[in-house]
Every structure is written in structure tokens, then in C-alpha cells.
């Protein structure tokens, strides 16, 4: 049977059609027993049946195969569970007949504490600690709950039965058809599901309350929460009902199950999981508390719900054929969730905020250690790491690019026909392209292959030369090295006004266009009315590429920004591209800082928010490269953000926008980090009022994170009071969003002893293992301490988080901030004996970032005139 080992996919001698699963979990001993009988179609004569199973003990004597045609029961001569390959191989003494058969298997397992497979999560009820039983099967952990063909293309129907304590709520994908109570236990059976993949099967058992509503076509929707918190489910319920109605129109297919349940789970590795008909969430991604949740929390709930519900069509009804096409699920759900959120909350300008997704995609894909959107998967262990910014964010961004190239209507119509064609089945990337190609008549496959089959993206350099426009593409790498890639780039441009709009496909390395013929105007000096004053490529940032302008075009754009002639998305794009070019050492820091100066009067949330994150990164580089300039740069940033700070003030204004509410927190948080005295003092005052009264209007939820950060700036080994108070608030609150805010601010402190205490605190039993990653937002001063701590605790960390994807966050958060070649070498040496497949990619990417930082630091050290420029900016009078 060695021929079955080391294979990426199961042999298909037999394929499952229907599973009848019976599970009996014991929530006290945290063990479960189960049995499954699987209707199979044996498609070729074979002595073997190979399916997936892992961490289960199989009752060998229970295994049998009843062949329908011969009415004969076969018992295997050998039953082997190959743990390394997570397969169960059944060997029979004679050939099994082609046709239908029923495979029966009995097994036992443990409700683990790793947040995957069939696991336990803990909660308190009336002061008592309790366990609930939860499943999380994506990508490949259904095999940890019952033996199965655990691949997305092996779709079957599922008939589930549970034996549970009679006082508990027991949920699964489908509605209950029967509940038989027998003393303290009950047997709950559910309707048989439509055909679906194993990774979407789900079960949750515990004590819950719920709120309920119906869609206009009668689908029952519920949000389940911890007992006593049902009110916090109302907002998600509203979003879910509206979103289901919207998707029914958009995809032109109704939601396919009779009910939808959504439930908050206290211990949850990801943000949420789209199980068919039973969507599971982290508490922070589902619950919204009127008094204590922030605007950003509300937005998170809406987008996560919209994302998971998009999967009910894109993923659950039509499923990727293999994990190589994971991006079809995740990229699409991400993109569609913006469509839904925009329709429900237009005032959130969510499509502008989408640029945060694109920029994260561009950031990761600017590394040589990135990967193509369509990526080879050869082992289940490799799947976890591709739930990354490439599959989600680059995926969503190239879809947005394609939609804006083809037009919204054609796009929607073609999508609807794709969904109809592949409903209850599986699809590959090229199947989607074929549907879009048919619908639009455009060569979609050829265009898109250049974006999904190779990693990276282009930077388009644009120059004006003697009334000609020259375009040249080359692969953009943050390291500044040249890359090899070439793309078919949908170029869009505007000239002087958004009414003068042109586009073409850049198919070659370069292209030269005659300005007069192409644009119908000339580019010349100011004052010439017939001439266009500025040219902006990648209009509204709908393309997944960067643009580098020649000096003259860049100057015209700077002035257009100051005159507020450009859209917010374009203002974002110019800033973001300039920052990327600066990191890649193609633009001086002096130029970047000058450009940042033109954004002083910027009021748009997404643009200012990006300006803030860029300023954080600049400060870190300056601290390494030119520490003597640090205070001046901080002074400049304080000045830069003063305009927004004054506009927004500390107290929410009546009827203000959602975006202003979010921006206020970010601006004040930034000023606190730059050490602005006024902000620190006011924060202190308000924090004290909050300690007296948790409902004080002086500290609304939108301000809390900023104030906590400010409080931590004043904490030191000799004055620990702010830290102790925050820990007290952490211990007292039962709202996870509050806990997350506090965890996210603790390590922003500058005192290394306190940072070490914080890092040890996040490993304690007071912090759920799902939440540790929030505590890893360590200040610049704490970088070295965090690295030493990671080394000292690696064995424990690796043991506790090593089987999931959270371990990658430890590596990226702690390694990436460094900026020297020596450090990179030291880190590499440490991991030489400790790396493993599940962190290999992240480690390489983080080390590449350290190298990029190191080169950037060298560049900034050698930058002439930086000191004068910084001083001028710091003392500029407005
Ligand atoms: N399918 C994923 C959940 C998932 C993530 C399973 C990683 C296995 C590994 C789900 O649809 C998802 O994408 N969740 C996101 C939230 C979403 C709004 C981007 C998450 O968990 O972060
Ligand atoms: Zn998803």
C-alpha cells in the first residue's frame, strides 16, 4: 500500500455520494465517539479504499463494506491509518465490485484545544466554566472528526445525528427534523443537506441565546450569542437578512438552504467561517454592542458577515476544484463583500476603503518571496499559508480591475451564468474566465493569466518627451531589484479633468503615444487653457499596479492635490505609490516627506489613515538611519496631523459621519505615539474619568484605543499605574472588542521591562490563545526584547500555536520590524533548525522585509539634504 503514501490527492477508486454521520461528544471528558456510513460509488475494480482520517482511533472491527450489487459484506484484511499523510487505507482480500456500496466505520477522538477539527471552546455560565463543542474544518480538518474524502471536489450529501446533553443547543448545517429526549441526553437529527464539500460541514453544541428574523422570501435567519448577549446580535442579523436578499438578486440564484444560523464562538482561530447554513464567527466579528463597540467594530461586523454570506454562493454552491483555486473563494468573497456593504452603508465609502486591501496585496506581492494567485498545493500542510494577502487582497483587486475593464453589467450577467452553470459542482479559474469571455467577447483568459499565473505586478513608468507619452512596464519589487515579469496592463488615464478619460491595453514592455492624437490636447505650461495640467494614470486606482511619473508630471500632480482637483482614490494612489517607490529606493525620503506635506488639509478617512500608517513606517526607518532627526520628523508629523485633529476635536459631533468617528481615534492615536503633550495629557484626564465610570461620555468607544495607547506612552517601570489600570479594565470587561483594544495597546509602551511583562502576560491563561497576536504590536523600543522573548519561548509557542496559522503571526510581527543584515543573519540561524513547512513561507517573506529595510536605511543614511528638508518641514508655518 506504499503507492498511496506521499500523494497530494486521494486516488479515486471509489467516490462518496452520501454520508450518514452520528457523533456523541462528551463535554466533560472532552472525548467523542462516532460512526459514519458512507454511500460510495466504486468506479473501478479495486482491493483498496483510501480516504482521509487523522488523530482518530479507528475501531478496526467496525469497518465493513456492503456491496449493493452482490448483497455481500466485505471486511478489510488490513486497516492502516498513515498519520503523516492523514489517510486511512483499507485493504481487502478480494476485488470489490464496481457499483454502489456502503462503507461503515466506527471511531473515537478528542475534543482538542487547537481550534481545528472537532474542538472545545470555553465560556462562563452563571459563574461556572463550561465547554462547548465546535467544528472548524477548512481547509482540511473534517478528517479529524470523521473519516471522509476530505477534498473540495468530493461533494456529497450529509445526514447528521448528534447525541448531546438535553439542556444544550445543538446546531448543524441543516434544520432539525427530530429531537428525542431520553433523560439527560437527547438525540437530535437534521435534514439531509444538498451536496456539498466536507470542509463546509459544521456542528456547534453549547448554551446560547438567539435573535431571529426572516428574509422576504421566508428564509429563517438567526444569530446565536452567549446567554444574555442576544441584543449584541441584532446588527449582524440586520446585515445578514439584507445581504441574503441582495445576493439573490446579484447572483440571480436564491440562497439554497432553508435556514441560516450565525454564531459567535469564544475561541476561534480565523475571523469567521462560511460553513453552509451555520456560519461561525469570532465574537469581535459578529457582536455589536451599542454602548461599547466602536464604529470600526461595526464596519468589521458588516464586512465579515457580507464576506461569509457571499461564500454561500461563491464557495459553497460553486466550489473550487482544488486549493490552487482558493482565491476564487476568497478573492471573490472579499470583492463581493464590498459590493454588499456599499449598498447597505453608502456613507461608509467602502470602495475607497477597499484601497487598504489593494495596498496590502501590493505590499506582499512586491516581495520576491511572494507566490502566484494560482499556487501549486502538494500537501494539506501547505494550504493554511495561502489564506494570505495574495489570495484575498490581490485576488479581490484583480477582480475589481477586471470588472472595471469589462463593465459592471456584463460582469454581473456573466457571473450569474457561471454560478448557474457550476451550481452544486466545482470550478477552476479558467471556468470563470470562460464565462466572462463568453459574456463580454473580450479575451479574458489571456488578459487574466498574466495576473493569476505569475507572481508580482508591474510599475508603469510614464514620461513626456516632445509631445509624446512614453509608457514602460517592469516588475515592481520592494527590494529595488529588477524583476522579470510582464503583464497585459489595462491602462486608464485622465488628463486635466475626469471628463478627459482614455484607456488602452499595454501589452508590450513599452508603448509611445502621440499626445495630440491620443488625448486631443497638449501638455504644456500653466496658463495655456488648451493644455491639460496634469495626467493621472490608473484612474481611481482600479488597476493592480503602481505608477512612476517623471519629475514634471509628478510636480503637476502635487499641485493638483493641493488644489483638491483629484479624487480621493487618486490622492490615495499617488501617496501610496510614492511610499512604495521610496522604500524601493527609487524616490528620496525628502521627496516623500515633501509630498506628505501636501496632504495637510486632507479630510478623507482612507487617505489620512494611509498617511498615518506611512508616517509610522517612516519613523521606524528614521530611528534606525538618522536618529538625530527623529524629533524633527515627529514634530513635522504632529504639525501635519494638527489640521485634522483640530477639525475633529475630542468629542463626537452630533450627526457626524461614521468616517469622522473612525478618523478621530486614528488621529489621536497617532499624536499620542508621536509624543504630543496636549494629546497625552487630555488622554490621561479622560482615562481617569473612565476608570471612575465606564459609561462616561468623555471616553466613547471610538476614542478608547487611542487613549489606551496614550496611557501606555506614560508607563515606565517606576510608574506602572496606567498599565495596572488597563489590566484591571481587561479583567473586568466581558466584551471581546474591549479586550482586543487593550491587548493591542499594551506593547506600544517604550519601557522594555514593561514590554517583557506584557509579552509574558499574553502567554498566560488570562489571554485566550486566539488573541495573543493582538499583543504583538510592539513599539520600536521593544523590538529586541520581543525577539529575545520569542527565542526564549519558542518551544512553548511552537507547541501551542504550531498546528494552526496563528504561529505565522508571531514570526512576521517580531521579525519584520528589523532593519539590518546582521539581524537577518542571526534570525536565519535561529530558525535553521526550527523552521517547519507551516512557517517556511512567512519566515522567508519576513527576512526579505528585513533586507529591504536594511537597504532602505543605508539609502536614507546617505541622503544629502534630508536634514535641511526635515528641519524646514518641522518648523514650517501654515
Ligand atoms: N474561509 C475563511 C475562513 C478560513 C480562514 C478558514 C483561514 C481556514 C483558514 C473565511 O471565509 C474568511 O475568509 N474569513 C476571514 C474574514 C474575512 C472577512 C476576510 C478571516 O477569518 O479572517
Ligand atoms: Zn472567506
Amino acid at each position: 500500500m506504499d503507492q498511496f503514501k506521499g500523494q497530494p490527492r486521494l486516488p479515486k477508486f471509489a467516490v462518496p455520494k452520501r454520508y450518514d454521520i452520528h457523533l456523541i461528544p462528551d463535554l466533560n471528558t472532552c472525548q467523542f465517539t462516532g460512526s459514519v456510513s458512507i454511500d460510495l460509488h466504486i468506479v473501478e475494480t479495486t482491493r483498496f479504499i483510501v480516504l482521509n482520517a487523522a488523530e482518530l482511533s479507528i475501531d478496526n472491527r467496525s469497518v465493513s463494506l456492503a456491496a449493493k450489487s452482490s448483497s455481500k459484506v466485505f471486511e478489510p484484511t488490513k486497516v492502516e491509518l498513515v498519520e503523516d499523510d492523514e489517510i486511512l487505507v483499507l485493504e481487502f482480500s478480494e476485488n470489490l465490485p464496481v457499483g454502489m456500496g456502503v462503507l461503515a466505520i466506527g471511531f473515537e477522538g478528542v475534543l482538542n484545544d487547537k481550534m481545528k477539527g472537532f474542538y472545545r471552546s470555553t465560556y462562563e455560565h452563571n459563574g461556572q466554566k463550561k465547554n462547548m463543542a465546535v467544528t472548524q474544518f477548512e481547509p482540511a480538518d473534517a478528517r479529524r472528526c470523521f473519516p471522509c474524502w476530505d477534498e473540495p471536489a468530493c461533494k456529497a450529501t450529509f445526514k447528521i445525528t448528534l447525541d448531546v446533553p438535553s439542556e444544550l443547543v445543538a446546531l448543524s448545517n441543516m434544520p432539525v427534523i427530530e429531537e428525542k429526549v431520553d433523560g439527560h441526553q437527547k438525540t437530535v437529527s437534521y435534514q439531509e443537506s444538498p451536496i456539498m464539500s466536507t470542509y463546509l460541514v459544521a456542528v456547534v453544541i453549547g448554551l446560547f441565546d438567539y435573535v431571529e428574523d426572516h428574509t422576504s422570501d421566508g428564509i429563517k435567519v438567526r444569530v446565536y450569542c452567549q446567554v444574555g448577549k442576544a441584543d449584541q446580535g441584532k446588527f449582524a442579523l440586520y446585515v445578514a437578512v439584507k445581504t441574503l436578499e441582495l445576493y439573490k438578486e446579484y447572483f440571480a440564484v436564491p440562497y439554497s438552504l432553508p435556514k441560516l444560523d450565525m454564531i459567535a464562538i469564544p475561541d476561534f482561530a480565523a475571523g469567521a467561517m462560511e460553513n453552509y447554513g451555520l456560519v461561525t464567527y469570532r465574537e469581535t466579528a459578529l457582536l455589536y454592542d451599542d454602548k461599547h463597540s466602536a464604529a470600526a467594530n461595526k464596519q468589521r461586523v458588516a464586512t465579515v458577515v457580507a464576506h461569509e454570506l457571499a461564500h454561500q454562493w461563491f464557495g459553497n454552491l460553486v466550489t473550487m476544484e482544488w486549493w490552487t483555486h482558493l482565491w476564487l473563494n476568497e478573492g471573490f468573497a472579499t470583492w463581493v463583500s464590498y459590493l454588499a456593504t456599499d449598498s447597505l452603508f453608502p456613507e461608509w465609502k467602502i470602495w475607497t476603503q477597499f484601497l487598504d486591501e489593494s495596498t496590502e496585496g501590493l505590499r506582499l506581492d512586491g516581495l520576491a518571496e511572494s507566490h502566484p494567485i494560482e499556487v501549486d498545493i502538494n500537501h494539506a500542510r501547505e494550504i493554511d499559508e495561502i489564506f494570505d494577502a495574495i489570495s484575498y487582497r490581490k485576488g479581490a483587486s484583480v477582480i475589481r480591475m477586471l470588472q472595471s475593464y469589462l463593465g459592471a453589467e456584463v460582469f454581473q450577467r456573466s457571473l450569474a451564468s457561471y454560478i448557474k452553470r457550476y451550481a452544486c459542482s466545482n470550478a477552476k479559474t479558467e471556468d470563470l474566465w470562460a464565462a466572462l469571455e463568453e459574456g463580454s467577447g473580450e479575451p479574458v483568459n489571456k488578459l487574466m493569466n498574466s495576473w493569476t499565473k505569475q507572481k508580482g505586478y508591474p510599475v508603469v513608468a510614464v514620461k513626456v518627451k516632445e509631445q509624446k507619452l512614453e509608457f514602460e512596464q517592469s516588475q515592481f519589487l520592494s527590494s529595488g531589484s529588477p524583476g522579470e515579469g510582464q503583464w497585459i496592463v489595462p491602462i486608464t488615464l485622465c488628463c486635466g479633468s475626469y471628463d478627459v478619460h482614455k484607456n488602452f491595453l499595454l501589452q508590450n514592455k513599452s508603448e509611445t503615444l502621440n499626445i495630440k492624437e491620443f488625448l486631443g490636447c497638449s501638455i504644456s505650461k500653466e496658463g495655456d487653457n488648451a493644455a491639460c495640467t496634469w495626467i493621472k494614470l490608473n484612474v481611481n486606482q482600479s488597476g493592480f499596479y503602481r505608477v512612476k511619473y517623471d519629475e514634471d508630471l509628478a510636480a503637476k500632480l502635487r499641485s493638483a492635490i493641493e488644489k483638491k482637483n483629484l479624487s480621493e482614490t487618486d490622492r490615495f494612489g499617488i501617496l501610496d505609490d510614492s511610499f512604495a517607490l521610496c522604500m524601493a529606493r527609487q524616490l528620496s525620503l525628502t521627496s516623500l516627506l515633501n509630498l506628505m506635506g501636501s496632504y495637510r488639509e486632507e479630510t478623507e478617512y482612507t487617505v489620512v489613515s494611509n498617511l498615518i500608517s506611512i508616517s509610522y513606517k517612516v519613523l521606524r526607518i528614521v530611528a534606525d538611519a538618522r536618529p538625530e532627526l527623529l524629533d524633527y520628523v515627529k514634530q513635522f508629523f504632529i504639525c501635519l496631523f494638527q489640521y485634522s485633529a483640530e477639525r475633529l476635536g475630542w468629542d463626537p459631533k452630533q450627526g457626524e459621519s461614521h468616517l469622522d468617528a473612525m478618523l478621530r481615534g486614528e488621529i489621536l492615536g497617532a499624536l499620542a505615539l508621536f509624543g504630543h503633550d496636549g494629546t497625552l495629557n487630555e488622554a490621561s484626564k479622560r482615562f481617569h474619568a473612565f476608570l471612575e465610570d465606564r459609561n462616561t461620555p468623555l471616553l466613547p468607544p471610538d476614542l478608547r484605543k487611542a487613549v489606551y495607547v496614550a496611557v501606555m506612552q506614560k508607563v515606565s517601570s517606576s510608574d506602572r499605574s496606567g498599565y495596572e489600570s488597563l489590566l484591571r479594565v481587561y479583567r473586568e470587561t466581558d466584551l471581546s472588542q474591549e479586550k482586543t483594544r487593550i491587548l493591542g495597546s499594551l506593547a506600544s509602551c517604550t519601557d522594555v521591562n514593561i514590554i517583557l511583562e506584557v509579552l509574558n502576560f499574553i502567554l498566560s491563561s488570562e489571554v485566550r490563545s486566539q488573541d495573543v497576536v493582538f499583543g504583538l504590536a510592539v513599539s520600536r523600543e521593544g523590538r529586541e526584547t520581543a525577539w529575545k522573548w520569542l527565542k526564549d519561548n519558542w518551544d512553548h509557542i511552537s507547541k501551542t500555536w504550531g498546528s494552526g496559522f496563528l504561529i505565522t503571526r508571531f514570526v512576521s510581527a517580531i521579525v519584520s520590524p528589523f532593519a539590518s543584515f546582521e539581524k537577518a543573519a542571526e534570525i536565519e540561524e535561529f530558525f535553521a533548525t526550527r523552521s517547519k513547512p507551516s512557517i517556511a513561507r512567512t519566515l522567508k517573506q519576513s527576512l526579505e522585509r528585513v533586507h529591504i529595510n536594511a537597504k532602505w536605511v543605508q539609502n536614507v543614511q546617505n541622503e544629502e539634504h534630508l536634514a535641511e528638508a526635515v528641519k524646514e518641514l518641522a518648523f514650517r508655518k501654515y
Side-chain angles (χ1 to χ4, degrees):
M1 49 175 76
D2 281 353
Q3 72 267 36
F4 306 122
K5 297 183 182 165
Q7 300 298 319
R9 292 174 77 160
L10 294 170
K12 305 292 174 345
F13 306 132
V15 288
K17 296 289 167 196
R18 175 181 188 269
Y19 291 84
D20 192 334
I21 304 167
H22 193 153
L23 295 171
I24 310 169
D26 182 330
L27 299 187
N28 296 317
T29 62
C30 291
Q31 286 173 331
F32 65 94
T33 56
S35 58
V36 60
S37 58
I38 311 173
D39 294 1
L40 299 176
H41 185 201
I42 300 167
V43 283
E44 58 184 88
T45 321
T46 174
R47 282 199 306 120
F48 296 98
I49 288 185
V50 185
L51 64 165
N52 292 113
E55 292 167 24
L56 292 175
S57 33
I58 305 292
D59 174 4
N60 289 3
R61 282 168 320 172
S62 72
V63 183
S64 69
L65 182 107
K68 286 249 166 89
S69 56
S70 59
S71 313
K72 194 169 154 187
V73 176
F74 297 81
E75 275 167 14
T77 46
K78 199 164 167 201
V79 175
E80 190 188 354
L81 193 118
V82 186
E83 280 292 354
D84 223 30
D85 293 308
E86 306 185 342
I87 53 172
L88 179 66
V89 183
L90 312 178
E91 185 176 347
F92 296 86
S93 58
E94 55 187 313
N95 274 335
L96 303 171
V98 169
M100 293 304 291
V102 181
L103 174 66
I105 306 176
F107 52 90
E108 280 177 10
V110 173
L111 293 173
N112 69 72
D113 61 355
K114 304 287 182 223
M115 298 182 284
K116 65 182 211 173
F118 200 11
Y119 73 93
R120 62 178 185 265
S121 170
T122 59
Y123 62 108
E124 262 188 29
H125 182 68
N126 295 336
Q128 261 192 333
K129 213 175 150 190
K130 295 201 174 257
N131 293 321
M132 62 173 83
V134 187
T135 56
Q136 166 61 43
F137 290 166
E138 194 183 14
D141 296 317
R143 63 190 69 174
R144 286 178 167 69
C145 181
F146 58 94
C148 57
W149 276 256
D150 200 9
E151 296 183 2
C154 296
K155 288 192 170 188
T157 65
F158 292 84
K159 173 91 186 63
I160 293 176
T161 308
L162 302 173
D163 270 16
V164 297
S166 43
E167 74 279 11
L168 299 185
V169 174
L171 302 172
S172 183
N173 307 84
M174 297 296 287
V176 173
I177 38 170
E178 194 187 22
E179 213 176 277
K180 269 193 267 170
V181 180
D182 178 11
H184 291 302
Q185 284 289 103
K186 63 181 174 185
T187 302
V188 187
S189 45
Y190 301 86
Q191 273 177 37
E192 184 164 331
S193 76
I195 88 163
M196 59 191 261
S197 307
T198 46
Y199 79 89
L200 294 167
V201 172
V203 160
V204 179
I205 301 150
L207 279 174
F208 302 100
D209 280 349
Y210 65 84
V211 284
E212 176 183 306
D213 200 355
H214 292 84
T215 61
S216 53
D217 53 351
I219 290 159
K220 186 155 82 177
V221 183
R222 285 184 179 177
V223 175
Y224 284 86
C225 319
Q226 270 185 55
V227 173
K229 288 192 182 179
D231 274 352
Q232 294 182 15
K234 287 183 176 162
F235 177 66
L237 182 64
Y238 166 80
V239 174
V241 168
K242 290 281 174 211
T243 307
L244 284 180
E245 293 171 356
L246 189 118
Y247 289 153
K248 179 183 169 193
E249 295 300 311
Y250 190 78
F251 295 120
V253 177
Y255 172 69
S256 41
L257 303 188
K259 63 94 175 170
L260 170 71
D261 291 326
M262 311 204 293
I263 186 162
I265 308 293
D267 301 277
F268 198 81
M273 176 64 212
E274 70 267 25
N275 313 301
Y276 222 168
L278 175 53
V279 183
T280 44
Y281 294 82
R282 255 183 202 239
E283 292 188 346
T284 50
L286 186 68
L287 306 184
Y288 177 78
D289 181 285
D290 275 335
K291 282 212 180 63
H292 297 282
S293 298
N297 299 134
K298 188 173 195 176
Q299 191 177 301
R300 170 84 181 149
V301 170
T303 51
V304 179
V305 170
H307 175 111
E308 302 313 330
L309 298 197
H311 279 312
Q312 306 301 308
W313 284 259
F314 233 99
N316 301 8
L317 185 60
V318 178
T319 310
M320 68 231 150
E321 196 276 332
W322 180 241
W323 298 104
T324 299
H325 307 283
L326 171 72
W327 84 280
L328 274 184
N329 266 14
E330 298 305 348
F332 231 92
T334 302
W335 178 79
V336 174
S337 73
Y338 279 76
L339 206 75
T341 310
D342 188 47
S343 139
L344 288 184
F345 306 101
E347 69 282 10
W348 292 1
K349 298 193 188 175
I350 205 76
W351 279 115
T352 305
Q353 297 192 56
F354 182 85
L355 298 181
D356 287 341
E357 306 269 356
S358 314
T359 195
E360 281 302 317
L362 290 164
R363 220 170 99 74
L364 180 55
D365 209 23
L367 299 180
E369 294 291 350
S370 179
H371 64 82
I373 283 185
E374 294 181 62
V375 53
D376 282 346
I377 294 292
N378 292 311
H379 193 285
R381 275 190 288 269
E382 295 169 13
I383 309 171
D384 259 345
E385 261 197 317
I386 59 165
F387 284 82
D388 65 0
I390 298 300
S391 303
Y392 281 77
R393 293 159 181 231
K394 182 182 184 183
S397 305
V398 300
I399 287 161
R400 175 165 175 258
M401 176 164 74
L402 182 62
Q403 190 226 22
S404 76
Y405 180 71
L406 298 178
E409 258 175 57
V410 168
F411 195 78
Q412 174 181 1
R413 249 186 292 118
S414 318
L415 265 189
S417 72
Y418 164 85
I419 297 274
K420 207 158 268 144
R421 190 176 306 164
Y422 294 99
C424 300
S425 167
N426 294 83
K428 297 183 174 163
T429 304
E430 55 261 36
D431 299 327
L432 176 63
W433 299 156
L436 287 160
E437 197 155 315
E438 275 169 39
S440 68
E442 294 278 342
V444 176
N445 193 55
K446 178 164 170 249
L447 170 69
M448 294 311 286
N449 278 345
S450 77
W451 296 94
T452 62
K453 292 196 188 292
Q454 69 181 334
K455 65 184 172 186
Y457 57 89
V459 51
V460 176
V462 50
K463 288 192 191 104
V464 177
K465 240 191 203 156
E466 293 148 10
Q467 290 306 318
K468 291 209 165 58
L469 264 183
E470 282 183 13
F471 302 87
E472 188 178 346
Q473 63 158 307
S474 55
Q475 181 174 358
F476 179 82
L477 287 170
S478 296
S479 63
S481 320
E484 303 272 275
Q486 193 170 314
W487 289 262
I488 301 179
V489 193
I491 302 274
T492 52
L493 68 119
C494 275
C495 183
S497 126
Y498 283 94
D499 297 333
V500 185
H501 192 290
K502 299 279 165 188
N503 40 29
F504 69 98
L505 285 182
L506 176 61
Q507 311 233 24
N508 302 319
K509 198 126 184 70
S510 62
E511 188 98 44
T512 306
L513 296 173
N514 183 303
I515 295 177
K516 251 220 158 85
E517 283 166 22
F518 180 57
L519 293 172
C521 65
S522 59
I523 299 184
S524 64
K525 311 284 163 270
E526 300 264 339
D528 177 354
N529 284 339
C532 52
T533 46
W534 48 265
I535 289 189
K536 169 73 179 52
L537 262 73
N538 196 8
V539 181
N540 283 331
Q541 297 302 111
S542 51
F544 192 74
Y545 56 91
R546 297 203 182 275
V547 182
K548 184 178 180 186
Y549 297 93
D550 71 16
E551 201 25 69
D552 189 41
L553 290 173
K556 289 190 163 105
L557 283 171
R558 272 199 302 277
S559 114
I561 290 167
E562 275 166 5
K563 291 188 195 139
K564 305 193 165 62
N565 286 332
L566 298 180
S567 70
E568 57 228 37
T569 43
D570 285 329
R571 299 198 296 273
F572 181 104
I574 291 165
L575 175 66
D576 203 55
D577 285 356
S578 303
F579 172 68
L581 288 166
C582 181
M583 184 189 285
R585 297 169 289 127
Q586 297 179 33
L587 182 79
S588 66
L589 184 57
T590 309
S591 305
L592 178 69
L593 292 173
N594 274 318
L595 177 71
M596 290 172 81
S598 13
Y599 286 79
R600 201 179 111 89
E601 292 181 19
E602 177 64 60
T603 53
E604 193 60 37
Y605 167 76
T606 309
V607 184
V608 182
S609 171
N610 197 26
L611 198 63
I612 293 173
S613 31
I614 290 175
S615 64
Y616 292 157
K617 291 171 195 154
V618 167
L619 271 187
R620 286 189 181 242
I621 287 303
V622 171
D624 277 323
R626 306 284 286 268
E628 76 285 3
L629 297 181
L630 195 57
D631 285 341
Y632 296 107
V633 178
K634 279 189 190 164
Q635 187 52 43
F636 165 51
F637 288 154
I638 288 172
C639 215
L640 185 59
F641 295 116
Q642 206 62 48
Y643 181 90
S644 293
E646 279 166 20
R647 181 175 77 81
L648 296 164
W650 275 84
D651 295 302
K653 302 197 171 49
Q654 184 124 57
E656 72 179 357
S657 72
H658 165 86
L659 294 174
D660 275 352
M662 290 208 296
L663 186 55
R664 177 179 297 112
E666 290 191 26
I667 285 278
L668 292 173
L671 289 173
L673 279 176
F674 304 145
H676 181 244
D677 283 333
T679 306
L680 295 177
N681 295 336
E682 181 66 21
S684 226
K685 248 175 45 203
R686 289 178 183 247
F687 186 59
H688 283 108
F690 175 68
L691 291 177
E692 297 295 308
D693 170 14
R694 297 297 148 80
N695 293 308
T696 174
L698 288 176
L699 196 49
D702 291 319
L703 283 190
R704 289 195 196 152
K705 172 85 189 285
V707 163
Y708 300 161
V709 166
V711 166
M712 286 311 297
Q713 300 312 296
K714 290 200 169 176
V715 169
S716 66
S717 306
S718 54
D719 179 6
R720 306 168 45 91
S721 64
Y723 174 50
E724 306 283 357
S725 305
L726 272 173
L727 286 181
R728 203 164 68 239
V729 180
Y730 178 89
R731 287 171 179 140
E732 282 169 15
T733 182
D734 66 347
L735 184 68
S736 353
Q737 287 153 346
E738 188 69 80
K739 285 195 195 289
T740 307
R741 280 194 282 263
I742 296 172
L743 286 175
S745 59
L746 294 178
S748 72
C749 177
T750 56
D751 182 303
V752 296
N753 296 317
I754 301 285
I755 289 173
L756 186 59
E757 256 185 68
V758 170
L759 291 171
N760 289 331
F761 173 70
I762 65 172
L763 293 186
S764 75
S765 60
E766 288 192 75
V767 178
R768 290 187 189 261
S769 95
Q770 63 165 9
D771 287 332
V772 279
V773 291
F774 300 109
L776 298 174
V778 178
S779 68
R780 177 165 42 82
E781 292 80 357
R783 182 171 73 175
E784 195 59 52
T785 308
W787 168 233
K788 180 163 187 312
W789 169 85
L790 185 71
K791 287 188 287 185
D792 291 346
N793 292 282
W794 181 254
D795 289 344
H796 169 67
I797 289 169
S798 174
K799 225 171 37 232
T800 313
W801 287 273
S803 62
F805 53 84
L806 289 175
I807 185 124
T808 61
R809 312 289 159 83
F810 285 86
V811 177
S812 56
I814 292 180
V815 172
S816 312
F818 284 106
S820 80
F821 300 110
E822 298 74 44
K823 202 52 156 191
E826 181 194 324
I827 294 166
E828 211 161 352
E829 195 189 316
F830 176 78
F831 281 110
T833 52
R834 294 174 179 86
S835 189
K836 47 183 168 184
S838 61
I839 61 164
R841 205 189 277 281
T842 307
L843 180 62
K844 281 191 198 146
Q845 290 166 345
S846 305
L847 285 168
E848 188 180 351
R849 291 207 156 106
V850 178
H851 282 134
I852 292 166
N853 291 341
K855 287 189 207 156
W856 192 13
V857 163
Q858 283 180 344
N859 216 52
V860 171
Q861 279 167 342
N862 297 324
E863 198 169 314
E864 284 179 44
H865 312 303
L866 177 64
E868 296 105 276
V870 166
K871 288 176 193 167
E872 193 274 321
L873 286 166
F875 297 116
R876 190 182 279 181
K877 291 279 169 285
Y878 290 95

